[in-house]
Amino acid sequence: MTIGRGTRLALTVAAAAILAFVYLPIALIVVYAFNSGTTPSWPPVGFTLHWFEEAIRNTGLQQAFLTSMAAALAATIIALVLGTLASLAVSRYRFFGRDAISLIVIFPIALPGIVTGMALSSTFSQVGIPLGFLTIIIGHATFCIVLVYNNAIARLRQTSATFEEASADLGADSWTTFRYITFPNLRSALLAGALLAFALSFDEVIVTIFTAGGVKTLPIWIFQSFRLANQVPVVNVAGLFAILLSVIPVYVATRITSSTGVAGSRV
């Protein structure tokens, strides 16, 4: 099919407009992080690294950053374990309600974050679990599991079960078969799922607001500090780090899964 010159030009302009619409606000955050002015203004007043020094010295920002890192790592570990087990059960065994279980596992990522947050907060209140760091991890794990599950089950469906059956026929137990046959085939898919889960957990704010109690993660710190005029330059620096710690894992996960098409994203 031959595309005319006018059509190509129109598509190019449309693509450029879409990219500008999506990424220009993000680019402004990056520029303002190096702006020597105290207020976001265009054009920038000048170039400085002063706000990075201020961000490093800000104890509240440091604590929020470490909390987000710890919560994201813990939620990712839980998601790896539970998502892998669920994918193995659904893909390798036949039982009543298997399709329903697959839908139930995937469903949390399709729910609006505010609904998930409300449901979790109400549940924690009813069972007597105080809101804090633990509830943040549990809340994040509910949707991080989906990313690991989607990547793992897609890879398992591409891998024949005959290898595992042959291993069992040769006398290997379930753990040995998983260690030497299943896990090597799943390794890159699990890594991609873990990276995506970490990125999603690190910058999640809606569910976190409902489950954090008095604990501040980096997104919550940014949300609260952005309303303070004297904190805006430091918030821009924090936003830059949040962008990097979200974009880099997603980029690596995309590279890992580029040939398999098993990476997932939140709806």
Side-chain angles (χ1 to χ4, degrees):
M1 179 179 177
T2 304
I3 300 177
R5 182 177 180 181
T7 303
R8 288 199 301 269
L9 179 60
L11 290 173
T12 301
V13 172
I18 292 170
L19 291 174
F21 177 78
V22 173
Y23 291 105
L24 185 58
I26 298 176
L28 287 176
I29 294 296
V30 176
V31 172
Y32 289 147
F34 297 94
N35 181 23
S36 59
T38 57
T39 58
S41 59
W42 192 264
V45 177
F47 177 87
T48 184
L49 295 176
H50 171 71
W51 305 122
F52 286 82
E53 298 173 2
E54 290 291 326
I56 293 173
R57 288 197 295 263
N58 191 305
T59 56
L61 175 56
Q62 292 175 14
Q63 186 60 46
F65 176 81
L66 293 175
T67 300
S68 285
M69 288 288 292
L73 287 172
T76 300
I77 292 171
I78 294 173
L80 274 173
V81 175
L82 299 183
T84 303
L85 292 175
S87 65
L88 288 170
V90 171
S91 65
R92 290 297 188 252
Y93 299 96
R94 295 188 178 276
F95 53 89
F96 177 77
R98 184 179 68 165
D99 293 337
I101 289 177
S102 183
L103 176 62
I104 290 171
V105 172
I106 296 174
F107 190 62
I109 207 168
L111 284 174
I114 193 168
V115 174
T116 302
M118 290 170 57
L120 289 170
S121 181
S122 298
T123 301
F124 293 141
S125 176
Q126 290 297 318
V127 299
I129 300 177
L131 299 182
F133 184 68
L134 176 61
T135 54
I136 291 175
I137 295 172
I138 296 172
H140 289 194
T142 58
F143 52 78
C144 288
I145 290 173
V146 184
L147 298 174
V148 176
Y149 174 82
N150 281 343
N151 281 271
I153 200 167
R155 178 63 57 82
L156 287 169
R157 286 171 176 170
Q158 296 173 1
T159 306
S160 175
T162 55
F163 294 105
E164 297 161 8
E165 294 170 359
S167 176
D169 290 340
L170 292 172
D173 57 26
S174 299
W175 169 245
T176 302
T177 299
F178 175 80
R179 182 181 177 186
Y180 291 105
I181 304 297
T182 309
F183 179 71
N185 289 322
L186 276 178
R187 188 161 43 205
S188 61
L190 293 178
L191 176 59
L195 289 170
L196 291 171
F198 177 86
L200 182 60
S201 174
F202 183 82
D203 61 12
E204 211 292 323
V205 62
I206 299 177
V207 173
T208 310
I209 288 175
F210 283 91
T211 58
V215 177
K216 286 187 181 181
T217 61
L218 182 61
I220 290 180
W221 185 91
I222 292 174
F223 178 74
Q224 294 177 346
S225 300
F226 189 73
R227 294 172 293 179
L228 306 175
N230 63 331
Q231 290 285 346
V232 171
V234 178
V235 169
N236 289 327
V237 175
L240 174 59
F241 282 108
I243 291 170
L244 292 175
L245 284 172
S246 299
V247 171
I248 292 175
V250 172
Y251 172 77
V252 175
T254 303
R255 295 289 296 178
I256 291 173
T257 59
S258 59
S259 61
T260 59
V262 295
S265 59
R266 186 169 187 180
V267 177

